[in-house]
Amino acid sequence: MITLYTFGPMFGLPDPSPFVVKAQVLLKMSGLEFKEDTGGFSKAPKGKLPYISDDGATVADSSFIRLHLKSKHGIDLDDGLTKEQRGIGWSFEKMCEEHLYWAIVDSRWMVKANFDKGPRHFFDAAPALIRPLIIAKIHRDTKRTMFGHGMGRHTRSQIETLAAFDLDAVAALLGDKAFLFGEKPHAADASVFASIASALCPHFETPIRRHAETHANLIGYVKRSTARWFPELACRN
């Protein structure tokens, strides 16, 4: 059986990491049997989650998990799409993961009110004496990473403007369809759903969330996808 290493549910989301949620959805879409383990972070081969163990093979990173499902198990989650649609799906996936993601990180880590009720709790299990030092270091590291990426060089207003363009683009592609390319979900839906669900997370008060809420089709997309893949969470809303 495949083991997927996760953080576990938090903030009303299946996982605080959209990359973990993406991997969860990819595996659910595959139909393969798998279990989740929240104790694998210390052994993560790339220092991040998610990763999977599958019949002795360890595969890190959600995109490589997707490729592994195809190479080892013959599962093409883009089956039925044209080359053009596959390209569009990949482009939107990476827009969400490499651009919108960092805008959401800024809204959670660099806004004190959101940090205090969100990421700060990632460290609750750390010894109380050194917890403030750990939090300060990880906060600095995150800020440095965002600056290196480029998103952290912008003002918050500029970051929120860029995020709005991302959300508008997803809403335009989705239109009145159930999923990005019709009634059936494909690989890009795993990533895009995870990202939009993160943007709409009611636990955090952000202009990014408020902008996402102006798109009724994005709200419907997240509700529909949550009911499909995480019915235990859909029942709470």
Side-chain angles (χ1 to χ4, degrees):
M1 182 189 293
I2 295 172
T3 299
L4 171 65
Y5 294 92
T6 71
F7 292 106
M10 192 176 288
F11 313 141
L13 297 168
D15 196 279
S17 165
F19 300 99
V20 171
V21 176
K22 171 188 171 184
Q24 290 172 315
V25 174
L26 290 172
L27 287 166
K28 288 171 183 278
M29 289 173 64
S30 77
L32 297 172
E33 187 177 2
F34 74 98
K35 64 179 181 179
E36 296 184 17
D37 187 327
T38 59
F41 181 73
S42 63
K43 299 179 182 178
K46 295 185 178 181
K48 294 183 178 182
L49 298 184
Y51 68 99
I52 62 170
S53 296
D54 182 11
D55 194 25
T58 299
V59 183
D61 188 277
S62 59
S63 292
F64 287 106
I65 290 171
R66 171 185 168 184
L67 296 179
H68 175 80
L69 293 176
K70 185 174 182 180
S71 62
K72 180 175 175 62
H73 298 282
I75 297 170
D76 181 4
L77 296 175
D78 278 344
D79 185 47
L81 296 185
T82 66
K83 288 184 178 180
E84 180 182 26
Q85 288 173 319
R86 288 172 183 257
I88 292 170
W90 180 258
S91 299
F92 271 75
E93 182 175 325
K94 295 309 159 190
M95 176 188 73
C96 287
E97 295 178 1
E98 305 296 342
H99 196 257
L100 178 59
Y101 169 76
W102 289 105
I104 294 172
V105 168
D106 176 79
S107 72
R108 291 187 188 179
W109 283 78
M110 301 302 146
V111 176
K112 186 178 185 305
N114 285 331
F115 179 78
D116 287 345
K117 66 179 180 180
R120 182 178 293 277
H121 292 288
F122 295 159
F123 312 99
D124 286 349
L129 189 63
I130 62 171
R131 189 183 305 146
L133 299 176
I134 295 173
I135 290 173
K137 179 185 184 305
I138 300 301
H139 192 275
R140 287 195 303 270
D141 290 347
T142 301
K143 187 173 183 178
R144 188 179 302 115
T145 298
M146 288 185 59
F147 189 83
H149 170 273
M151 188 65 78
R153 297 169 189 256
H154 306 313
T155 66
R156 179 142 305 110
S157 176
Q158 289 173 330
I159 292 171
E160 291 160 358
T161 296
L162 294 176
F165 274 99
D166 293 339
L167 293 166
D168 291 348
V170 174
L173 177 63
L174 180 63
D176 60 1
K177 302 187 296 295
F179 296 98
L180 295 176
F181 297 107
E183 294 304 308
K184 176 185 175 183
H186 292 85
D189 285 290
S191 179
V192 174
F193 156 67
S195 297
I196 302 303
S198 187
L200 281 167
C201 179
H203 189 79
F204 301 100
E205 176 58 38
T206 72
I208 294 172
R209 190 193 92 191
R210 291 197 295 272
H211 187 84
E213 289 172 339
T214 66
H215 292 289
N217 64 341
L218 295 184
I219 296 172
Y221 178 61
V222 169
K223 287 183 177 180
R224 185 163 50 250
S225 300
T226 301
R228 185 185 186 104
W229 292 309
F230 303 98
E232 70 282 3
L233 294 180
C235 291
R236 299 176 190 174
N237 299 325

